[in-house]
C-alpha cells in the first residue's frame, strides 16, 4: 500500500521494500553514515583534513545524530541532501563549472525539496543566494549564470508535480490545524 506522506523518501522506501519498520530505521541510519562519509570525502577536499575529520566526527557522534538516525522521519535524509546541495553550491560559487557539479547541485536541490518543506525552503534560499551572486558577477561568470538558470529551470519544472500534494496538504491543514489565528 502507498502511504500518503509529505515525505517522498518514506513513500519510495515503502514501494520498494514494503512496510517494514526495520528498513525505515536503517534508511535513517544510512543517511547519517553517508553524511559522515561526505565529511571525509567532500568537506575534506574543500576545507582541509582537520575540518573534514571534525565534520565527520561531529556528524557521527553528536547525540542529535543518534536521535535522528533512529527516527522514521525524513530529517536525516534532509541533512544529507542539504549538505550535498550546499557543497556543490559552494563549488559553483568558487568557480568550479564542471557539468557534474551542476548536475549534483540541481539533483540534490530537487531531492531535498521533495524530502521536506524545510528542505524546499533551504533549496530555495541557497538557489536564490547563488543566483544573486552569479547575477552580481555576470560579466566574469556569464557561462555559470547560464548553466545555473538552466539547472534552476529544470528544478522548478520537476518540482511542479509535487505542488499538487502541497496544495492538498495545505487545504487539509488549514481546516483542522491545532493553532488558530482567532
Amino acid at each position: 500500500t502507498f502511504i500518503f506522506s509529505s515525505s517522498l523518501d518514506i513513500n519510495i522506501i515503502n514501494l520498494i521494500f514494503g512496510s517494514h519498520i526495520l528498513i525505515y530505521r536503517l534508511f535513517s541510519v544510512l543517511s547519517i553514515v553517508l553524511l559522515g562519509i561526505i565529511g571525509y570525502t567532500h568537506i575534506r577536499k574543500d576545507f582541509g583534513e582537520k575540518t573534514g575529520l571534525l565534520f565527520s566526527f561531529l556528524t557521527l557522534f553528536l547525540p542529535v545524530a543518534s536521535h535522528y538516525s533512529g527516527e522514521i522521519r525524513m530529517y536525516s535524509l534532509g541533512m544529507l541532501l542539504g549538505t550535498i546541495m550546499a557543497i556543490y553550491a559552494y563549488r559553483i560559487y568558487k568557480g568550479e563549472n564542471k557539468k557534474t557539479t551542476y548536475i549534483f547541485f540541481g539533483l540534490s536541490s530537487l531531492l531535498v525539496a521533495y524530502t521536506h518543506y524545510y528542505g524546499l525552503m533551504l533549496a530555495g534560499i541557497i538557489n536564490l543566494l547563488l543566483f544573486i551572486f552569479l547575477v552580481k558577477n555576470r560579466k566574469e561568470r556569464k557561462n555559470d549564470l547560464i548553466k545555473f538558470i538552466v539547472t534552476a529551470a529544470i528544478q522548478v519544472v520537476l518540482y511542479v508535480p509535487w505542488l499538487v500534494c502541497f496544495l492538498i496538504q495545505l487545504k487539509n491543514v488549514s481546516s483542522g490545524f491545532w493553532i488558530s489565528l482567532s
Side-chain angles (χ1 to χ4, degrees):
T1 61
F2 187 76
I3 301 170
F4 185 74
S5 167
S6 64
S7 177
L8 190 62
D9 58 327
I10 297 297
N11 289 323
I12 290 172
I13 293 169
N14 185 37
L15 288 172
I16 295 170
F17 298 106
S19 183
H20 299 288
I21 195 166
L22 182 62
I23 297 295
Y24 294 155
R25 290 188 188 278
L26 286 174
F27 185 75
S28 293
V29 170
L30 179 64
S31 295
I32 295 293
V33 168
L34 289 174
L35 186 59
I37 291 170
I38 281 177
Y40 188 72
T41 58
H42 290 67
I43 302 290
R44 181 177 62 94
K45 177 184 175 191
D46 292 338
F47 299 102
E49 181 104 12
K50 284 183 183 179
T51 305
L53 288 173
L54 183 61
F55 180 91
S56 294
F57 177 79
L58 293 174
T59 298
L60 296 172
F61 294 106
L62 279 177
V64 71
S66 174
H67 177 76
Y68 283 131
S69 69
E71 295 267 328
I72 303 174
R73 303 291 304 260
M74 73 299 296
Y75 299 124
S76 57
L77 180 63
M79 288 187 285
L80 173 66
L81 294 170
T83 301
I84 292 169
M85 177 185 56
I87 288 168
Y88 284 97
Y90 175 75
R91 289 180 180 179
I92 291 169
Y93 166 79
K94 292 302 265 181
E96 184 177 305
N97 59 5
K98 294 185 222 173
K99 188 177 185 179
T100 55
T101 303
Y102 284 89
I103 290 170
F104 282 119
F105 170 72
L107 185 61
S108 59
S109 183
L110 179 65
L111 291 174
V112 77
Y114 267 110
T115 300
H116 194 280
Y117 295 126
Y118 290 134
L120 173 63
M121 291 184 343
L122 176 65
I125 291 168
I126 288 180
N127 273 273
L128 179 63
L129 291 173
L130 190 55
F131 177 69
I132 290 169
F133 170 78
L134 291 172
V135 166
K136 187 177 175 184
N137 296 289
R138 65 185 169 272
K139 290 181 182 175
E140 309 86 39
R141 307 283 301 268
K142 182 180 177 184
N143 289 334
D144 289 326
L145 180 59
I146 291 168
K147 288 178 186 177
F148 174 82
I149 290 171
V150 169
T151 303
I154 291 169
Q155 289 178 56
V156 169
V157 167
L158 293 175
Y159 192 77
V160 167
W162 193 253
L163 289 178
V164 174
C165 293
F166 174 72
L167 294 174
I168 290 169
Q169 290 174 352
L170 190 63
K171 181 182 173 195
N172 291 339
V173 167
S174 67
S175 64
F177 198 55
W178 60 277
I179 298 176
S180 64
L181 294 175
S182 53

